[in-house]
Amino acid sequence: MTPVPAQGHLISLAKPDSSLVTLVLVIVAVLLLLFLLLRHVVRKRGGWRRFRRGLSRELALTRRAFGEPLRALRRHRRGVRALSRHLCDPRSGLLVRRLLDAAGAALGDVPGAFAYGLRTEPGWAAVQIAARRLPAPPAPWEIADGLGPQSWSLSLADEDALPDAAPRAGARVRPLPVAVGMADDSCVHLDLAAGPRMITVEGDAAPRSRLLQALAAQLDRPGSGASVTVTDGVHPHYHGEPIDTVLRRLEDTPAATTDEEAVTADVTVVVCSSPTREQARRLSDLAATGTVVCLTDSPAAGHSWALRVDGRGRVTAPELDLYADSAPLGRAVAAAVRADRRRARRAPTRQWPIEPAVESRTAPERQALAPAALSAPTELPEPAELSELVEESRRPVPAPTPTRTIAGADLLSEPATARSRPAEASSTGGE
């Protein structure tokens, strides 16, 4: 008797496809080969721990390389803001000169020692000093941490604790500081009148020209204490005097006969580009006399300070212990020049009464003028000793001469404006 199959659900298992089995086997074999290859590489690198450290380091370097442009842009903008705030504030320039004078006065008993550099940031300043053996700093100066043994630091939190601004005895010229860039969060300054007075800017062409023009624009600002002469070739849109003409005029100009005249007179600064060997020798001779500060964009024979600039705008002078980023300096100086022009437009023009020569007046006219003469003050009050800025702003304006002058750092102005400027620049007065 044939058995009858039971009624119910029938379960059927699918037979695996040969192509699917082949794919799975290939994937497993590839993964096994990759594992063996990775194990071989890891063993050659010293084990899994060293391999993980190396991999982490490579990933960090890759992330840093891709993020460096953004960080450089933020750092550049931060430097522009910091330098602009510093250069646009007239009190900052007075503070820099005061600190340099105070450091020089504190070094009065040290032979051959002088302050040549300064770093400032909000609430803190450090002065760099050239000396064979630097003594212990007098109060309120302190030893600067992290800036080398030739630096003194000072806290600017308390204005009453600032040292006196008495210049050093025997100083022939007052400080001539200029900002050269940023170092971390500090503004780096260099006193051009402290050293050999021959400063050369070397390195890549474009950053070198920008730094030279920024230094010249700072010296040409009101209240800098410098009389700037820019020769031909410094700026492509500014046609200055030929360098031979400037050299002949300076060589024929007599030097100051007394120390008082040398201290009160403005420092003559010559900015030139690509001088010949003979012209560089004559510039070095003028700088050696101490009457002229020379700025050039090429090496010069003799004793000089060399500022070397790379393609990214980094300024280095190892002999001066100077390392700074000059890339933000151009925009900051341009902002400071615009601030000077706005300040000059807002300042009211002083109309001093012009008293004519002695002329005869009739008796009725004298009687009519008598009450006004009694009510008016006979003389102007003496100016209060507030600051150097106020004292310089009250100096009488000299009579105009046929020589035209350049106003306020036109090296950084528009080409059309700079092209219409004359050949010589002179800066006097207050900020």
Side-chain angles (χ1 to χ4, degrees):
M1 188 173 186
T2 305
V4 178
Q7 300 294 330
H9 298 284
L10 297 178
I11 299 175
S12 61
L13 298 176
K15 183 179 180 180
D17 192 1
S18 59
S19 60
L20 180 62
V21 174
T22 304
L23 179 61
V24 171
L25 293 177
V26 169
I27 292 176
V28 171
V30 170
L31 292 177
L32 182 60
L33 289 176
L34 290 177
F35 175 76
L36 295 177
L37 179 62
L38 179 62
R39 184 186 177 194
H40 176 70
V41 173
V42 169
R43 292 182 63 182
K44 288 185 62 176
R45 294 297 181 90
W48 287 99
R49 181 176 299 178
R50 294 185 61 183
F51 180 76
R52 285 195 300 269
R53 292 177 181 176
L55 183 61
S56 301
R57 185 169 55 253
E58 293 295 333
L59 292 176
L61 292 175
T62 303
R63 183 172 60 253
R64 186 179 304 173
F66 279 98
E68 180 61 26
L70 296 178
R71 286 191 297 271
L73 180 60
R74 289 196 297 266
R75 186 166 56 249
H76 176 79
R77 291 180 176 178
R78 187 168 60 250
V80 170
R81 288 194 297 267
L83 283 173
S84 299
R85 284 194 302 267
H86 175 79
L87 295 176
C88 291
D89 189 0
R91 297 171 298 179
S92 299
L94 298 177
L95 177 62
V96 169
R97 287 193 289 270
R98 177 178 178 180
L99 292 175
L100 290 174
D101 279 335
L107 295 169
D109 298 334
V110 183
F114 60 92
Y116 66 90
L118 187 71
R119 294 188 180 187
T120 60
E121 62 182 57
W124 180 84
V127 61
Q128 292 178 287
I129 301 170
R132 292 184 179 273
R133 183 176 297 176
L134 189 63
W141 298 99
E142 300 176 352
I143 297 294
D145 296 333
L147 293 180
Q150 298 293 113
S151 299
W152 289 351
S153 64
L154 179 68
S155 176
L156 303 179
D158 188 7
E159 296 184 359
D160 297 335
L162 294 180
D164 296 332
R168 183 175 182 175
R172 293 187 55 86
V173 293
R174 60 178 178 176
L176 194 64
V178 291
V180 295
M182 294 289 298
D184 296 332
D185 294 330
S186 302
C187 300
V188 181
H189 305 80
L190 185 65
D191 185 7
L192 302 184
R197 296 183 176 88
M198 185 69 184
I199 295 91
T200 63
V201 182
E202 307 171 11
D204 292 355
R208 178 186 61 194
S209 299
R210 287 194 293 266
L211 179 59
L212 183 68
Q213 295 165 10
L215 296 179
Q218 290 182 72
L219 295 172
D220 196 41
R221 294 183 61 195
S224 65
S227 177
V228 183
T229 301
V230 180
T231 62
D232 193 15
V234 174
H235 197 278
H237 302 292
Y238 177 78
H239 303 290
E241 289 185 88
I243 185 172
D244 290 328
T245 304
V246 176
L247 287 173
R248 283 194 299 268
R249 184 173 67 250
L250 293 176
E251 290 169 350
D252 296 338
T253 302
T257 57
T258 62
D259 292 342
E260 183 179 357
E261 292 179 0
V263 172
T264 57
D266 291 339
V267 181
T268 302
V269 179
V270 179
V271 184
C272 56
S273 174
S274 302
T276 62
R277 181 174 300 180
E278 177 63 22
Q279 292 170 350
R281 185 191 62 79
R282 296 168 65 184
L283 287 172
S284 299
D285 294 341
L286 287 172
T289 61
T291 59
V292 178
V293 174
C294 301
L295 274 173
T296 178
D297 63 349
S298 59
H303 189 198
S304 63
W305 280 352
L307 306 179
R308 298 173 181 84
V309 192
D310 61 6
R312 296 186 178 181
R314 297 171 181 171
V315 185
T316 58
E319 63 276 7
L320 301 177
D321 194 19
L322 188 147
Y323 303 92
D325 181 15
S326 66
L329 186 60
R331 293 181 58 186
V333 173
V337 170
R338 291 193 296 267
D340 291 340
R341 293 174 178 173
R342 289 194 299 268
R343 193 179 300 112
R345 287 195 298 265
R346 289 196 302 265
T349 57
R350 301 185 178 184
Q351 300 293 339
W352 297 100
I354 301 176
E355 185 68 24
V358 178
E359 59 181 10
S360 60
R361 288 195 177 98
T362 61
E365 290 177 349
R366 288 196 297 268
Q367 293 177 1
L369 291 175
L374 292 175
S375 60
T378 57
E379 60 180 5
L380 293 175
E382 293 294 332
E385 297 181 357
L386 297 178
S387 64
E388 181 185 349
L389 179 63
V390 178
E391 292 176 0
E392 291 182 353
S393 63
R394 296 187 178 225
R395 293 179 183 174
V397 180
T401 59
T403 304
R404 298 170 60 190
T405 58
I406 183 173
D410 289 300
L411 295 177
L412 299 180
S413 60
E414 293 78 5
T417 305
R419 191 181 298 112
S420 64
R421 295 296 178 181
E424 188 173 3
S426 157
S427 297
T428 56
E431 271 185 343

